[in-house]
Amino acid sequence: MDKGEENKITIQARLKVLNKSLVSEENSVQYYQTLLENTAPDSDEKIGERRVYEDLQAEEKKHVQVIQDMIQHWENKLRDI
């Protein structure tokens, strides 16, 4: 098999990994949400912590979108085979 060639099995393997990655990234989004909910904005220190949690959560949401797009791409490729 050519190393660049994709087939049903290689695409299914890609999708398996991507789906696991998606779960991990979604869990990270929820983790930062939990931290936000448990950090009251009652001091400058806590406000700083919340801002970092918000930034990190936003970054994780970007990762979720990228992985969802990759899953869609490979699901389309799998359908085309």
Side-chain angles (χ1 to χ4, degrees):
M1 178 173 119
D2 178 357
K3 291 185 181 190
E5 183 181 328
E6 295 289 349
N7 60 46
K8 183 178 179 180
I9 294 170
T10 62
I11 293 173
Q12 288 172 332
R14 284 176 179 267
L15 287 167
K16 181 179 174 183
V17 171
L18 287 168
N19 280 304
K20 287 179 184 179
S21 296
L22 181 60
V23 169
S24 177
E25 295 297 333
E26 289 173 334
N27 286 342
S28 293
V29 169
Q30 185 55 46
Y31 172 70
Y32 290 117
Q33 183 61 41
T34 299
L35 291 174
L36 279 165
E37 290 169 1
N38 292 321
T39 306
D42 56 2
S43 70
D44 285 347
E45 181 179 359
K46 299 287 182 159
I47 290 169
E49 289 175 9
R50 288 178 58 83
R51 287 176 180 163
V52 170
Y53 297 150
E54 289 169 344
D55 292 344
L56 292 169
Q57 185 183 45
E59 191 62 34
E60 295 299 338
K61 286 180 180 181
K62 290 178 194 174
H63 296 176
V64 167
Q65 186 60 55
V66 168
I67 294 169
Q68 288 173 333
D69 292 345
M70 291 174 74
I71 289 170
Q72 184 63 51
H73 169 80
W74 288 109
E75 284 176 344
N76 289 342
K77 291 280 190 187
L78 187 59
R79 258 193 313 275
D80 291 344
I81 289 183

